[in-house]
Amino acid sequence: MERKRSSRHRQRYRKRKTTCDKIKDFIREFIAFMFSNVGIIGLVVGYTICGAFMFQAIEGTEASDDREEAIKDIHSARSKTRDRLWEITQKFNVLEEEAWREQAASEVLKFQMEVIDAINKGYDGVDDVKDLSETSQWSFSGAFLYSLTVITTIGYGNVAPKTEWGKVATIFYAIIGMPLFLLYLSNIGDILAKSFKWSYAKCCLCRGCGGNRDSRSVSPENSVAVQVPEIIDETDEQYEESHIESTLGDSVKDDTITVPVTLCLAIMVGYVCGGAILFSKWEDWDFLDGSYFCFISLSTIGFGDIVPGDQIYASKGLDMSFIFCSMYLMLGMAIIAMCFNLMQEEVIHKFRSCVKAVKNCCSCSGARDDDVDTAPIE
């Protein structure tokens, strides 16, 4: 009767929920889903897409205006320098070579300073104003990759905001995006680590090699409680238990599966080499440059001396190189986090094993000393 009353009470309470309570419950469930393992991926991708549209809107128009003005300044400075060099050549004769060199070097130095000022305004070597729309660094692909490099702390440096609003937006965008991406690495790295350990235990661990697979079926409370069919008699059962105990050893009490460090290093090296091969085809790099770029990117060093620039930043829409580069970085950093997690567990396991071995040696040596002291003297 009491259970029926409680169930009726719950049903009445559910019916009494107002619209505000329903909205609160929906928001609570939505936030819980967004910060789950599946939702965090969509949250990072959506946050990066929003950042791409934001930076494209802020930097796109003003950057193109600055680049157009910089191109005009370069054209004017180039014409003036050419005219000044011709005047200097006509002024000095052949016998005054040192004076001509001094005046010409001064004019060339002025032109170099004007080129540097134009580069700071956004000049990138394009001399035709009509080609600005085709080579804009703030296309959607370029802005998306910029947003991704901001929250991943790679920061190549080849693309940077020039406007004041763009710089302020980058600061606040990174403040929110960096913890979000760290949460993504933590969650996805942990999932990949558990999945890889399960696959490693199923595929690479057999019944007699190391005992890590068999030790999972044994609970810590029942150290060596092994299920044996009833057909086997008591003697065979004891023999079976002693055989398994001698085979498993101390690993029966260990409740973790550890992956070798060499296998984790092989995964990272293979991922870097695979990316180097693909990037060498996309960007016309050699294998060394591709490997260097992949390592610098996945380690978040991001020097910026080698970047996937031409095809990604010059594209007006979505292209395969842009999609591949973004997926490679997001998946690769999660795999690196997984490998570091697995290597950390392996190192901790080895350290504990060494400490346990040292304790066993010390206890054995102490027992031997006690036996020697208590032995009768003839």
Side-chain angles (χ1 to χ4, degrees):
M1 295 295 294
E2 292 180 358
R3 292 182 180 178
K4 292 182 180 179
R5 290 178 183 176
S6 61
S7 62
R8 291 176 183 175
H9 181 71
R10 291 175 183 174
Q11 292 178 359
R12 291 177 182 177
Y13 176 75
R14 292 175 182 175
K15 292 180 181 179
R16 291 177 184 174
K17 278 188 176 181
T18 61
T19 305
C20 183
D21 294 334
K22 293 180 180 179
I23 293 174
K24 289 180 180 179
D25 293 339
F26 175 77
I27 294 175
R28 190 182 298 109
E29 293 177 359
F30 179 75
I31 293 175
F33 172 75
M34 291 304 296
F35 284 94
S36 63
N37 296 328
V38 179
I40 194 65
I41 300 176
L43 193 61
V44 170
V45 174
Y47 188 77
T48 310
I49 292 174
C50 293
F53 283 116
M54 179 183 67
F55 287 114
Q56 189 179 15
I58 295 175
E59 294 290 334
T61 304
E62 297 189 15
S64 61
D65 295 339
D66 292 339
R67 291 179 67 195
E68 184 176 354
E69 182 180 358
I71 290 174
K72 293 180 181 179
D73 293 341
I74 287 293
H75 288 171
S76 176
R78 187 182 297 158
S79 299
K80 291 180 180 179
T81 303
R82 183 181 62 246
D83 295 338
R84 285 292 301 158
L85 289 177
W86 179 249
E87 292 177 0
I88 293 172
T89 303
Q90 289 180 338
K91 180 179 179 180
F92 298 99
N93 54 28
V94 181
L95 298 178
E96 297 175 334
E97 182 178 356
E98 293 296 332
W100 181 88
R101 287 180 179 274
E102 183 179 354
Q103 293 291 330
S106 177
E107 293 296 329
V108 172
L109 181 60
K110 291 180 182 179
F111 178 72
Q112 290 177 350
M113 298 302 296
E114 292 180 355
V115 171
I116 292 174
D117 293 336
I119 291 174
N120 292 329
K121 293 180 180 180
Y123 177 72
D124 56 356
V126 178
D127 291 334
D128 193 356
V129 179
K130 298 179 180 179
D131 297 335
L132 288 178
S133 59
E134 298 180 359
T135 60
S136 177
Q137 292 182 330
W138 292 105
S139 61
F140 177 79
S141 302
F144 185 91
L145 190 59
Y146 170 76
S147 303
L148 187 62
T149 55
V150 168
I151 64 176
T152 56
T153 68
I154 296 176
Y156 291 126
N158 61 323
V159 178
K162 305 295 182 182
T163 63
E164 295 181 356
W165 284 107
K167 295 176 182 178
V168 173
T170 300
I171 294 173
F172 287 99
Y173 184 79
I175 290 174
I176 301 175
M178 289 168 59
L180 181 64
F181 193 78
L182 291 177
L183 182 62
Y184 159 80
L185 290 181
S186 178
N187 289 0
I188 304 303
D190 186 57
I191 292 175
L192 292 178
K194 292 180 180 178
S195 302
F196 186 78
K197 285 198 301 184
W198 181 85
S199 302
Y200 175 78
K202 292 291 183 181
C203 299
C204 301
L205 297 182
C206 59
R207 186 176 177 83
C209 58
N212 283 331
R213 172 186 277 185
D214 294 338
S215 62
R216 301 306 154 260
S217 61
V218 182
S219 61
E221 294 81 8
N222 302 324
S223 59
V224 213
V226 182
Q227 298 290 337
V228 183
E230 296 179 359
I231 303 174
I232 303 176
D233 57 2
E234 185 177 359
T235 306
D236 294 335
E237 183 176 356
Q238 293 177 355
Y239 173 79
E240 181 71 16
E241 289 182 357
S242 62
H243 173 69
I244 294 176
E245 185 176 4
S246 62
T247 303
L248 299 180
D250 293 331
S251 62
V252 175
K253 298 180 181 180
D254 188 12
D255 198 25
T256 58
I257 298 175
T258 57
V259 180
V261 177
T262 54
L263 182 58
C264 298
L265 294 175
I267 292 173
M268 291 190 291
V269 171
Y271 193 81
V272 170
C273 292
I277 294 173
L278 294 177
F279 273 111
S280 62
K281 293 182 179 179
W282 280 108
E283 298 292 334
D284 295 330
W285 296 339
D286 55 11
F287 182 77
L288 179 60
D289 290 338
S291 302
Y292 174 77
F293 166 75
C294 293
F295 177 79
I296 293 299
S297 299
L298 295 178
S299 59
T300 68
I301 296 175
F303 287 129
D305 51 349
I306 299 179
V307 292
D310 296 335
Q311 296 184 6
I312 292 178
Y313 294 103
S315 60
K316 295 181 180 180
L318 296 176
D319 62 331
M320 292 302 297
S321 59
F322 152 72
I323 297 175
F324 168 72
C325 183
S326 302
M327 291 181 61
Y328 180 82
L329 291 177
M330 293 186 65
L331 180 61
M333 296 185 72
I335 290 177
I336 296 298
M338 176 200 75
C339 292
F340 279 135
N341 189 2
L342 295 175
M343 288 190 293
Q344 180 182 4
E345 292 180 357
E346 174 69 8
V347 170
I348 293 174
H349 176 70
K350 294 294 185 183
F351 179 76
R352 289 178 178 175
S353 300
C354 292
V355 171
K356 190 174 183 179
V358 171
K359 289 182 178 179
N360 292 333
C361 292
C362 293
S363 61
C364 291
S365 62
R368 290 177 181 177
D369 294 338
D370 293 338
D371 293 339
V372 173
D373 294 336
T374 58
I377 300 175
E378 295 181 357

